């Protein structure tokens, strides 16, 4: 809508270029992220896992739906746990501060006491998200632009559940950026169940070389010096005014 009256459009992904018409100038800059992208040493990773009281012997699946959580994703995790599906992996769930109590309540109604389950950790919010992302084996999440940028920067395989009913279905297009280079898989929001999520996780965790390759593929779209690229374009615009 704004392309024809905008001097410069900064995009997060090269794939977005062909979807914008009537633009004077389009520049690929990437999306700024706040997390520290320095790779963890094996000792650092083990220390983070030990602090969470999880095991270093099973894969770790980090599941989150943004800072507010995602009801559909939380429901899938509840479904998965109620069927005792996560026998071969551990789960860290960021449920969202407004949804956390309800998630714990629903699990208790199914006789699942999370505090006694070593393989599952559920939090209202994760403040050191970047470190937990780097310590995890697979990320399960929505596919906003910032999330895609973080995943590409740290090089992690992902399972995306794009948020539906957003403008131009942009979260699906975002997710496809990584799916198209074999760095991620996608489950549609209305098709998400505990069983489907478990099946996809299990199809990925046993092939460590494949997971490693998916992470390396994600790194291929990482953009360096994002803030400098953005500043350069702003400075050029001001100079030409």
């Amino acid at each position: 809508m704004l392309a024809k009256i905008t001097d410069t459009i900064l995009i997060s992904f090269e794939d977005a270029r062909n979807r914008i018409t009537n633009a004077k100038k389009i520049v690929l800059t990437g999306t700024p992220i706040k997390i520290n992208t320095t790779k963890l040493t094996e000792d650092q990773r083990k220390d983070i896992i030990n602090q969470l009281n999880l095991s270093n012997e099973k894969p770790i699946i980090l599941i989150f739906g943004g800072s507010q959580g995602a009801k559909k994703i939380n429901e899938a995790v509840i479904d998965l746990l109620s069927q005792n599906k996560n026998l071969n992996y551990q789960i860290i769930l960021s449920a969202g501060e407004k949804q956390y109590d309800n998630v714990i309540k629903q699990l208790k109604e199914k006789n699942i006491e999370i505090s006694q389950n070593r393989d599952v950790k559920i939090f209202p919010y994760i403040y050191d998200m970047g470190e937990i992302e780097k310590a995890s084996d697979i990320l399960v999440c929505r596919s906003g632009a910032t999330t895609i940028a973080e995943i590409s920067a740290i090089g992690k395989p992902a399972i995306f559940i794009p948020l539906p009913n957003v403008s131009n279905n942009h979260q699906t297009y975002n997710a496809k950026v990584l799916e198209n280079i074999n760095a991620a898989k996608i489950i549609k929001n209305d098709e998400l169940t505990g069983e489907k999520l478990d099946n996809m996780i299990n199809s990925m965790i046993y092939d460590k070389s494949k997971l490693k390759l998916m992470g390396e593929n994600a790194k291929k779209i990482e953009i360096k010096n994002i803030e400098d690229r953005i500043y350069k374009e702003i400075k050029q615009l001001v100079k030409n005014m």
Side-chain angles (χ1 to χ4, degrees), residues 2-11 17 20-29 229-241:
L2 297 176
K4 60 185 177 182
I5 61 170
T6 302
D7 292 296
T8 304
I9 296 178
L10 310 183
I11 57 176
R17 190 182 299 273
I20 302 173
T21 58
N22 302 320
K24 295 179 186 177
K25 182 181 179 183
I26 300 175
V27 181
L28 175 67
T29 60
R229 289 168 180 255
I230 294 172
Y231 176 63
K232 176 185 175 183
E233 295 304 320
I234 294 173
K235 190 165 67 170
Q236 186 65 44
L237 276 176
V238 173
K239 181 179 178 182
N240 294 336
M241 287 179 68

Side-chain angles (χ1 to χ4, degrees), residues 11-223:
I11 57 176
S12 301
F13 318 113
E14 186 59 44
D15 300 47
R17 190 182 299 273
N18 294 331
R19 296 179 51 238
I20 302 173
T21 58
N22 302 320
K24 295 179 186 177
K25 182 181 179 183
I26 300 175
V27 181
L28 175 67
T29 60
T31 299
I33 57 176
K34 294 187 291 184
I35 66 172
N36 178 356
T37 59
T38 304
K39 188 175 181 179
L40 297 176
T41 65
E42 191 55 35
D43 285 343
Q44 288 173 325
R45 182 178 185 274
K46 286 181 179 179
D47 186 51
I48 290 171
I49 292 170
N50 289 336
Q51 287 180 37
L52 291 167
N53 197 28
L54 292 171
S55 169
N56 281 282
E57 304 303 317
K58 286 184 180 182
I60 295 175
I61 316 301
L62 173 61
I63 304 175
F64 57 98
S67 59
Q68 302 301 314
K71 187 172 184 290
K72 184 70 173 180
I73 294 175
N74 289 343
E75 288 173 348
V77 175
I78 293 169
D79 181 31
L80 187 157
L81 295 177
S82 67
Q83 297 181 58
N84 199 30
K85 292 281 189 182
N86 65 310
L87 298 176
N88 304 311
Y89 54 88
Q90 303 167 98
I91 289 175
I92 302 172
L93 171 65
S94 180
E97 292 181 346
K98 293 183 178 180
Q99 300 187 51
Y100 173 79
D101 289 341
N102 191 44
V103 168
I104 298 300
K105 178 184 176 183
Q106 288 185 60
L107 288 169
K108 285 183 177 180
E109 289 172 353
K110 297 177 182 294
N111 297 317
I112 300 172
E113 184 56 63
I114 291 300
S115 62
Q116 298 174 8
N117 190 330
R118 179 174 171 80
D119 288 342
V120 182
K121 304 300 174 188
I122 301 180
F123 303 101
Y125 184 83
I126 296 176
Y127 289 92
D128 54 345
M129 179 61 83
E131 299 304 291
I132 305 298
E133 285 178 347
K134 290 188 288 186
S136 301
D137 295 282
I138 299 173
L139 310 186
V140 179
C141 51
R142 297 297 195 193
S143 47
T146 302
T147 299
I148 302 288
E150 289 179 356
I151 288 173
S152 67
I154 63 176
K156 285 291 177 178
I159 299 172
F160 291 123
I161 301 98
L163 182 66
N165 306 318
V166 291
S167 60
N168 296 320
N169 199 26
H170 68 261
Q171 283 216 358
T172 296
Y173 285 109
N174 291 350
K176 285 183 178 294
V177 170
L178 288 179
E179 183 191 50
N180 290 340
I181 59 171
N182 192 30
K185 296 182 181 293
I186 297 175
I187 301 177
K188 293 181 179 179
N189 191 76
D190 59 0
E191 296 178 358
L192 178 64
T193 63
E195 183 175 9
K196 189 154 191 170
L197 179 57
D198 173 69
N199 287 341
M200 188 165 284
I201 292 170
N202 277 307
S203 73
M204 296 169 67
I205 59 174
Y206 294 108
D207 192 339
K208 291 186 178 180
S209 61
K210 182 178 178 181
L211 283 182
K212 184 172 183 281
L213 178 60
M214 290 179 74
E216 290 171 351
N217 287 341
K219 287 284 287 183
K220 290 177 181 178
I221 68 161
E222 179 190 12
I223 299 175

